[in-house]
Amino acid sequence: MLHMNNVMYKGHVLSAIAVTEREVVSATLVVRDPSGVQRRSGALGTFASPIGALRYAFAYGMAEIDHRKMPPSE
């Protein structure tokens, strides 16, 4: 099953994607900057739930935009 959600953060569009396959949830993130350039994170880890995966992906993207240390995954 695929779960997607978008958030605006400091002019960037963060599109978090959580995929559930065989009871394992993984997350990726697409960041579109204000000029329209997009970049994809790749796999961010495995998670206990789709909500946890989406929350982590958004935290990861916000940290990247702010040039902060990335949060540890679950």
Side-chain angles (χ1 to χ4, degrees):
M1 179 176 261
L2 181 68
H3 303 270
M4 296 175 46
N5 207 347
N6 295 327
V7 167
M8 290 288 298
Y9 183 73
K10 296 185 177 180
H12 295 74
V13 178
L14 306 175
S15 300
I17 303 160
V19 178
T20 304
E21 187 174 318
R22 297 183 190 165
E23 299 181 27
V24 175
V25 181
S26 61
T28 62
L29 180 72
V30 176
V31 177
R32 186 173 63 223
D33 69 23
S35 69
V37 174
Q38 292 187 37
R39 62 189 180 282
R40 187 179 190 112
S41 68
L44 296 174
T46 56
F47 302 87
S49 71
I51 295 296
L54 293 173
R55 286 181 179 164
Y56 179 80
F58 288 132
Y60 180 95
M62 290 174 185
E64 183 179 279
I65 291 165
D66 292 340
H67 304 288
R68 291 182 280 121
K69 185 177 178 180
M70 303 306 171
S73 63
E74 291 182 352

